[in-house]
Amino acid sequence: MEKASLYIVKIGGNVLDHPDELQAFIDRFAALPGLRILVHGGGKIATRIGEDLGVVSKYIEGRRITDDATLDLVTMVYGGLVNKKLVASLQAAGCNAIGLTGADANIIPAQKRPVRTIDFGWAGDVVPENIDSQTLQVLLNAGIVPVMAPLTHDGKGHMLNTNADTIAASLAVALSGLYTVQLMYCFEKKGVLENIEDPDSVIPVIHAKNFPELKSEGKLHSGILPKIENALQAVSKGVHKVWIGHAADIIHTTLEKGYGTFIEEI
């Protein structure tokens, strides 16, 4: 029996900060056929609100250090403000959505990242096999679109701050046994750029063989590397397609080449 298609779409970057671009994305996402899950970030919004509240964001290697005050901040911003605004916008677009964190219904349990050379605080690492795919399947079969905030929990009463790209990839892997999953990373650029200064220098395909070469030659901006690494891991574990591109281009629902960057295993 052929598996149903499922789009897992992660939205982030500057799109969340620009109402017009965000509304255009919402309209396109709502128009996608079939089953969908939306995963969102919101780091820039959290940083801005944190500054207003006197909570200064600290980063190491591009990742936010999540102390107690920062955990409260991101729980409020990601799980509340950003998540519920997206849900309300989707409802207005005729898309019946429900906002969730990983703690809700125990959908995404995680482990607090162990301290090695860096203490990231209340950062969560996800094991895809521990994700509750069955609960997500119930929601999807009921015609409800889960909107996932980048928050998980440790099962001991603590929320955990978890990278949204990682959550999207982990969901894609966890659900690939039930659905034909197409994972889409959407942001404000046309795809993965060979030259960050040239918006048209899109690399059409990245795979496990050419990624190390592109990386060693310095053709990939450091900020895009975790996204590509998550994507490569996803396709190696059964995800049907992974695409990185501009939020406006998800209207091309067949994901034909010519728009954005495709991540392939070989």
Side-chain angles (χ1 to χ4, degrees):
M1 182 177 178
E2 185 176 352
K3 292 186 288 188
S5 294
L6 170 65
Y7 292 100
I8 297 180
V9 181
K10 188 264 177 173
I11 184 65
N14 291 325
V15 177
L16 290 172
D17 285 331
H18 292 82
D20 291 343
E21 291 185 26
L22 180 57
Q23 186 57 55
F25 166 79
I26 289 291
D27 292 340
R28 287 169 170 80
F29 178 85
L32 286 174
L35 305 176
R36 293 149 291 170
I37 294 175
L38 180 60
V39 180
H40 65 83
K44 292 183 179 180
I45 298 171
T47 298
R48 187 172 65 247
I49 292 175
E51 289 172 352
D52 293 339
L53 296 174
V55 179
V56 179
S57 296
K58 300 175 184 177
Y59 296 88
I60 296 178
E61 297 178 354
R63 295 190 181 275
R64 190 187 300 268
I65 303 299
T66 309
D67 58 15
D68 290 343
T70 302
L71 181 63
D72 287 347
L73 171 68
V74 297
T75 301
M76 289 188 293
V77 175
Y78 300 161
L81 180 67
V82 177
N83 188 268
K84 300 315 173 190
K85 279 190 171 183
L86 284 171
V87 170
S89 295
L90 285 168
Q91 299 291 3
C95 180
N96 190 13
I98 184 170
L100 299 168
T101 71
D104 295 298
N106 196 30
I107 288 175
I108 312 179
Q111 300 172 345
K112 183 178 182 293
R113 186 170 301 160
V115 178
R116 296 188 176 96
T117 57
I118 301 170
D119 184 357
F120 286 99
W122 296 108
D125 293 327
V126 179
V127 177
E129 291 76 12
N130 293 340
I131 290 175
D132 184 358
S133 302
Q134 299 300 319
T135 295
L136 289 169
Q137 187 178 34
V138 169
L139 293 172
L140 292 167
N141 288 347
I144 299 171
V145 175
V147 179
M148 300 299 308
L151 296 164
T152 56
H153 77 121
D154 66 359
K156 302 173 184 177
H158 272 288
M159 297 297 293
L160 297 170
N161 183 18
T162 301
N163 180 271
D165 290 343
T166 300
I167 285 181
S170 298
L171 286 169
V173 170
L175 290 163
S176 62
L178 298 172
Y179 304 99
T180 299
V181 178
Q182 300 185 59
L183 173 60
M184 306 169 76
Y185 288 112
C186 299
F187 62 152
E188 72 279 1
K189 299 186 186 302
K190 294 180 180 180
V192 179
L193 304 180
E194 185 171 333
N195 178 1
I196 195 67
E197 304 299 328
D198 180 1
D200 295 318
S201 62
V202 177
I203 302 171
V205 178
I206 295 175
H207 48 72
K209 290 184 178 180
N210 72 349
F211 175 58
E213 181 179 348
L214 291 167
K215 186 178 177 180
S216 65
E217 292 177 353
K219 293 183 177 180
L220 300 172
H221 187 265
S222 60
I224 200 71
L225 294 178
K227 199 181 301 288
I228 298 172
E229 290 164 353
N230 277 318
L232 285 169
Q233 186 175 27
V235 295
S236 73
K237 293 185 176 181
V239 175
H240 180 59
K241 288 183 180 181
V242 182
W243 178 87
I244 301 173
H246 198 286
D249 287 335
I250 65 166
I251 197 67
H252 306 287
T253 57
T254 57
L255 293 185
E256 294 294 338
K257 288 183 170 62
Y259 297 89
T261 300
F262 283 83
I263 308 298
E264 299 179 351
E265 189 171 7
I266 56 173

